[in-house]
Structure formats: C-alpha cells, structure tokens
Amino acid sequence: MIEPEATDRPRIHFEIDILPPSINKLYKPTHHGKRLSNEANRFIVAAKTKMLKQLDFSQPPLSTANPVKFEVHFYYDVLCKGYPTKTDNRFKPKDSANYLKLLEDVVASCIALNDKNTNWHVLRKFDSVKHGFSGVRMWVTELDYDDV
C-alpha cells in the first residue's frame, strides 16, 4: 500500500473495496435539475457502512476548528485494452474530480466534519492490477492553521 507522507498530526484512514459509479451513472435528470442516481445512493450507503466500521472511536475526533488535508488514492484498471490500435491514449478516462467531491461528502458525513474544513486535496490514481487492490484509500489529516 502506498501511503502519504508520515505525520504526527491527527489522521483518519479509510479503505473501501468499491469504486463510485461511472460519471454517466452518478446523476439522473429530474424536473428540478440533476440529482444523485439510485446507483450513486447505493454506493454512498455501502461506502458509509464500510467507513463507519473502520472508525476508531477510542481516538479523539479531528478538530472542526482546524483545516484538513483530504488525500484520495483511486485503484482501478487504468490501462485501455485497445491501445494503441483502437485508441490514441493508453489510460482510461476517469472523472476523478467528481468522485472526489462525492467521497468528500461521504467522509464528512461519517466523521461529522464539514467539507469547508478541507483546504488541501491530494488525488492520485493507481493501477489496481499492479497493486492487487480495487477501490479507494483515503486519509483525512488535521492541519495547523499555519499550514494554510
């Protein structure tokens, strides 16, 4: 497992072995604009369930008075099978920014930390085949106000 840099700051780590639905299945149109799809809502429930089981309630919560760094590592099959004959790019497209927002909201609901506290995002993509894991690993690290 690839981990972020070591720190003595309070940190929470989550690992879920599921990926958010594709961006095409994340939202559904309604008469009032777009809303999360049923598939997205199922992902949210499953992700929250997995995350809550990993929380260590013996540790003090992260402070809501401090900013946090939200680091997300996506593990999926990153290589296009048709490269170079059927596609000009070797890597599969993933709209990670939308996934990041969805995961940030899920994590915020699990640890009662408003996403306004997130002042620093780190997003990385890894090949699930190479690393033997498919899913998402996340770290929420409390920062000092001076770090912002």
Side-chain angles (χ1 to χ4, degrees):
M1 173 171 62
I2 297 173
E3 294 201 26
E5 62 188 54
T7 181
D8 59 348
R9 302 293 304 157
R11 175 183 280 169
I12 297 173
H13 171 249
F14 296 108
E15 182 175 300
I16 56 173
D17 57 356
I18 54 175
L19 288 164
S22 75
I23 196 63
N24 296 330
K25 297 178 182 178
L26 199 56
Y27 298 98
K28 64 181 177 184
T30 68
H31 295 294
H32 305 288
K34 290 184 178 180
R35 299 212 175 178
L36 287 173
S37 67
N38 293 339
E39 190 174 346
N41 284 319
R42 283 191 297 273
F43 167 79
I44 290 168
V45 169
K48 283 174 76 168
T49 301
K50 290 174 183 287
M51 288 179 194
L52 288 170
K53 288 180 181 177
Q54 296 173 44
L55 272 178
D56 181 359
F57 291 100
S58 66
Q59 298 295 318
L62 299 180
S63 171
T64 57
N66 288 330
V68 297
K69 177 172 80 169
F70 186 55
E71 185 159 350
V72 179
H73 294 184
F74 288 103
Y75 292 81
Y76 62 93
D77 187 9
V78 298
L79 299 177
C80 285
K81 306 257 186 283
Y83 177 80
T85 57
K86 295 181 182 178
T87 180
D88 61 350
N89 197 319
R90 172 180 205 157
F91 302 101
K92 289 182 182 177
K94 289 281 186 189
D95 191 356
S96 302
N98 284 326
Y99 295 152
L100 180 68
K101 178 62 179 148
L102 178 68
L103 288 167
E104 186 177 37
D105 289 342
V106 172
V107 169
S109 70
C110 286
I111 61 174
L113 191 68
N114 194 315
D115 61 356
K116 292 177 188 173
N117 290 71
T118 306
N119 286 46
W120 188 359
H121 289 100
V122 178
L123 176 66
R124 296 184 67 188
K125 301 175 190 178
F126 296 95
D127 187 357
S128 61
V129 175
K130 182 178 175 183
H131 291 278
F133 173 74
S134 180
V136 186
R137 292 182 172 134
M138 297 162 277
W139 293 265
V140 182
T141 307
E142 185 177 305
L143 302 173
D144 283 325
Y145 181 74
D146 296 338
D147 295 332
V148 179

